[in-house]
Amino acid sequence: MQGVFSPLQRLFLIGQHLNIDLRTMRDDLFPMTGGGNKARKIIKILQSAENQGCNALVTTGGIQSNHGRVTALAAAQRGWRCKLILHGDKKEVANPKGNLLLILLAGAEIEIVQPDEIASAMQSAMDAFRSQGLTPCEIPGGGHSVTGAMAFVEAVDELKEQCQPDGWQADWVILASGTGTTQAGLIVGLERLGWQTKVLGISVARHNPRGKDIVEESCRELRSHLGLPSRTETIDFRDDWVGEGYEQAGTTVLSAISTAAAMEGLILDPTYTGKAFAALLDLVHTGEIAKNSKVLFWHTGGLLNIMASNYFSGIKT
């Protein structure tokens, strides 16, 4: 992946309001339908799959999975078969919207199972494709792999390129952290640049210590893959804004979404980026992020998640 794919933008109005230098990496505008961090990962993952002669894909995620959407679209672009093992409410299939709608339009086969049935269903899908003479690639949920994380090591090179004109370097990078590889890729990528930047992952579902441990493991795998020395720094992965869990957003998150949209025209979502932006606002208000800090909000996508959400169904103009 060469060149700049996602624009770096300054959020002048919110930054002025918060008294910080606030910018955002717009991975929601990454050039693939729906954009997002999963689009970056799938391109990198499928480069490897193509080199291995694969011609079918199997992966898993929630009913409104961004990873499922980009996998289905990438398979359609290549003329490959695609089977998605999804978990969630089966009733959504009767009136699909958001990511699920695009998954179905892309022609992916879906199977909805309980979370404890995912592993066996994935194996059955792989076996079925093989029995049909295909060479399937099994992709972990969320693209959680060294290859997926490498996409964000390379994304840091994009960031550097866009920061060069004015020499801007972030004191903080704040992002929504789910399976952990996006955060790990950014941590290791910034290490390679030598930037003294704090990378703060805001959990969208997992609690500590499990969430932090998974990011640490991904960092270790990445450093080994790149031949970098091991490190023992503490991963900053916080679960304070998880609320009631994945896809569940409280009033603080919904307020942050409204603030970003009204002040900057920046669209966030209640599953991922809304939680991360709520954290950013809170950390500025408590003083942990000091005035005049250079803060980068890494926008990991989520437009289709808010379009599928019912949180704003009664909004009045």
Side-chain angles (χ1 to χ4, degrees):
M1 296 171 65
Q2 301 294 324
V4 175
F5 286 84
S6 297
L8 175 67
Q9 296 179 350
R10 186 168 186 182
L11 298 178
F12 181 78
L13 295 175
I14 295 180
Q16 186 179 51
H17 174 70
L18 298 174
N19 201 13
I20 60 174
D21 184 349
L22 179 61
R23 305 188 186 193
T24 179
M25 192 67 164
R26 297 291 303 273
D27 263 0
D28 58 316
L29 300 181
F30 189 90
M32 183 178 188
T33 302
N37 63 328
K38 306 304 184 186
R40 276 191 186 275
K41 290 181 182 181
I42 202 64
I43 288 175
K44 193 75 177 172
I45 289 168
L46 292 197
Q47 287 175 349
S48 176
E50 287 170 334
N51 291 338
Q52 297 172 35
C54 295
N55 53 13
L57 301 175
V58 176
T59 194
T60 184
I63 286 265
Q64 285 297 333
S65 168
N66 291 294
H67 169 66
R69 178 248 308 164
V70 300
T71 301
L73 292 171
Q77 289 171 347
R78 292 161 174 76
W80 293 5
R81 296 276 298 283
C82 179
K83 179 69 175 283
L84 303 181
I85 308 302
L86 305 178
H87 56 89
D89 188 351
K90 293 183 179 181
K91 295 178 183 177
E92 290 193 40
V93 179
N95 183 29
K97 51 188 176 180
N99 285 311
L100 179 60
L101 175 59
L102 297 192
I103 287 168
L104 295 173
L105 288 174
E109 304 168 47
I110 68 169
E111 181 180 353
I112 302 174
V113 302
Q114 294 299 313
D116 60 357
E117 299 171 332
I118 290 172
S120 61
M122 292 269 285
Q123 185 59 57
S124 295
M126 292 288 290
D127 292 342
F129 277 149
R130 291 190 185 105
S131 71
Q132 297 166 34
L134 297 172
T135 304
C137 172
E138 181 175 349
I139 305 173
H144 185 86
S145 61
V146 169
T147 306
M150 275 300 301
F152 281 88
V153 174
E154 295 177 0
V156 170
D157 294 332
E158 278 185 38
L159 173 64
K160 177 185 177 182
E161 183 176 339
Q162 296 190 71
C163 289
Q164 281 177 341
D166 62 0
W168 193 81
Q169 288 190 20
D171 300 312
W172 294 81
V173 173
I174 296 179
L175 72 149
S177 193
T179 62
T181 45
T182 298
Q183 184 178 358
L186 293 178
I187 290 170
V188 175
L190 288 163
E191 283 175 13
R192 292 205 310 169
L193 289 187
W195 288 16
Q196 301 301 310
T197 301
K198 301 173 185 176
V199 180
L200 173 53
I202 304 302
S203 178
V204 302
R206 289 175 175 156
H207 289 279
N208 283 320
R210 179 171 178 254
K212 180 175 70 68
D213 290 346
I214 289 172
V215 178
E216 286 180 341
E217 180 183 3
S218 184
C219 286
R220 286 194 296 270
E221 291 174 346
L222 261 182
R223 292 187 186 107
S224 176
H225 176 75
L226 291 167
L228 298 174
S230 61
R231 295 178 61 150
T232 57
E233 86 287 359
T234 300
I235 299 298
D236 203 347
F237 177 92
R238 305 194 195 180
D239 57 12
D240 307 69
W241 294 269
V242 168
E244 295 184 10
Y246 184 68
E247 293 186 324
Q248 303 300 310
T251 55
T252 299
V253 172
L254 300 181
S255 176
I257 292 170
S258 297
T259 296
M263 291 188 70
E264 293 279 2
L266 185 71
I267 303 302
L268 308 176
D269 75 283
T271 304
Y272 302 101
T273 53
K275 291 182 177 180
F277 204 76
L280 187 158
L281 296 177
D282 285 349
L283 293 169
V284 171
H285 290 148
T286 63
E288 182 170 351
I289 295 178
K291 292 180 179 180
N292 301 314
S293 293
K294 296 180 177 69
V295 181
L296 176 63
F297 178 73
W298 201 289
H299 194 320
T300 54
L303 176 63
L304 291 166
N305 296 101
I306 194 169
M307 297 300 288
S309 168
N310 293 321
Y311 279 112
F312 296 94
S313 57
I315 192 169
K316 294 180 173 60
T317 57

